Amino acid sequence: MAIPIFWTTAPGLALGVCLASFVATIIYFTKGTSRGKNFPPGPPTLPILGNMHLVPQERPYLKFTEWAKQYGGIYSIKIAKQTIVLISDVKILKELYDKRGAIYSSRPLPHIGAEIVCPDQTHIIYMPYGETSRNYRAQYHQFMGPGKVEQILPWQSAESTLLLKKIATSPDRYYEHTMRMATAVILESVFGVLPKDYDDPEVTELWTVQREFSEILALTGPPVDHFPFLKWLPDIVSPWRIHARSVRAMHRKLYFRLLNLNKARMEKGERYGTFVEKLIDDKPKHGLSDERIAYVCATLMEAGSDTTASQALDFMMALLAFPDVLKKAQEEVDRVCGTSRLPTLDDRDQMPYIEACVNEVLRWRPPLPYGAPHLLMKDDWYEGYFMPKGTVLFQVQWAMNMDENVYEKPQDFMPERYIRNRFGTKFNAEKDAETGRKEQYGFGLGRKICPGQWFARNTLFVLFAKLVWAFDMKVPTDPKTGKPVPLDTDVRTAFMDGLTTTPFKFPIEFKIRSKAHEEALNTDLVASDKIFAKYGGATV
Ligand code: HEM
């Protein structure tokens, strides 16, 4: 073939190379950004961006919920070249996450999270599905699986009583006290450390790094995770890398301080009966390094603190917005406990309404409104839809929970729905139960289901029962107008953003219900002090 004369001159050659590079770049960035043949449906894509321009930076789950109405229980979007499948239908979830769990249970490994913040697969959220992740989960089961989780009860019980006392003493700090309590149960049972106040370094450091980490974990995280070529840019123009390194440094400072504290104590023969001690003792059995032990344990603080605290705060907010719920809950705890003692987990069978409150709070304000990402390990087909290996999937919990076809008045906090029907649905779902419908999807399902679900449910049950037993709670009155101050419960304005949702601090008035309640609370606190004594005692 004759070469055109144009290419044989030096400027012509340079121009040709530039043109070819330009075309190659366009092809590289455009290829794979549109929805492939037979992919689940979804919004129209643009070259290079895919659907990135349509996904809001804040609270993307609200958009995902809108799209679920438009495209159905399974649909797909493209974030640059990445295919993302969003599921909000329980039957589809059951089929993919549960039945086909062997190929739907891995995690994506984004550059920032998996290579900078938590490299070397130490953190379970950035770990491919395989032997190490199964080993981590086996250790979690030993600590907080069914039949084991009861060992944590003494801390849950003592800490919830302490929270009541702290709220009674300084109600304006109810928010900080609740956050401290959620972290404290885990710090005590996992690391043998009692944080006295929210301002203690273990608690503030955890919550600070947790907020930063939650933003990194969110789908709308750093741009480099969507355009991987950006990882080759130098630090000076890569602020996300510098930020990610600081999050890693914060993680490690806290994690290793706690691990080393325990090792030093154990060398002196001091024992607190904690999870970390067991993992250190069992090293020859599970083969986890010190580094991995630190992450196994600290992940519990991360995964369990803001989820639990959010739910406790959501419950308080719901009680203000739906005062009838408080009345009904109080009737139940009063019937079972009277005024002379506080509720305990042993009362669970007699307190179906409190149990329904736990289910309803998980539905009303799910702490992970679009779950955690799963990664498909092999090409797969579902009902005529093709999903390529490497597809990232999200369970859109918000869309599931706010579905008017499933829940009556989904925006309302109505624990009764779980009394009328154990699934909370407006239709009788007993028949669906045969095909695997679960009462609760807030903890996920399949092989990645939350291993802390029993731990969380116990904390929430005991705390909710004690809270309504001890306090009347209401929206404070504005002294200027004499009217209740406005209460905002809207997720768009009253809640923080990130992978997890937590309400901002809201106005609330706590009033201990009677002198008898106060005395019983003080007596219970004396019993709880036995738990706290070995850590040098708690302060209120
Ligand atoms: C109301 C409280 C909680 C909710 C709603 C919740 C929900 C979830 C969800 C949705 C997932 C992801 C499941 C998936 O990938 O499909 C998860 C993972 C996880 N949760 Fe929870 N969680 C809660 C409390 C806790 C607590 C208290 C702990 C531990 C003390 C905990 C430990 C974990 C861990 C370690 C994972 C990662 C599991 C893995 O990747 O294999 N969670 N949780």
Side-chain angles (χ1 to χ4, degrees), residues 107 124 137 140 144 300 303-304 307-308 311 362 367-368 372 374 442-444 448 450-452 455-456 460:
R107 298 276 191 214
I124 191 155
R137 289 184 68 96
Y140 291 146
M144 56 187 185
L300 297 185
T307 44
T308 309
Q311 294 280 265
L362 281 156
L368 282 98
H374 284 219
F443 294 107
K448 287 308 222 180
C450 173
F455 186 139
L460 296 178

Side-chain angles (χ1 to χ4, degrees), residues 361-377:
V361 84
L362 281 156
R363 190 204 63 81
W364 189 62
R365 291 292 179 264
L368 282 98
Y370 55 110
H374 284 219
L375 183 94
L376 177 58
M377 296 154 77

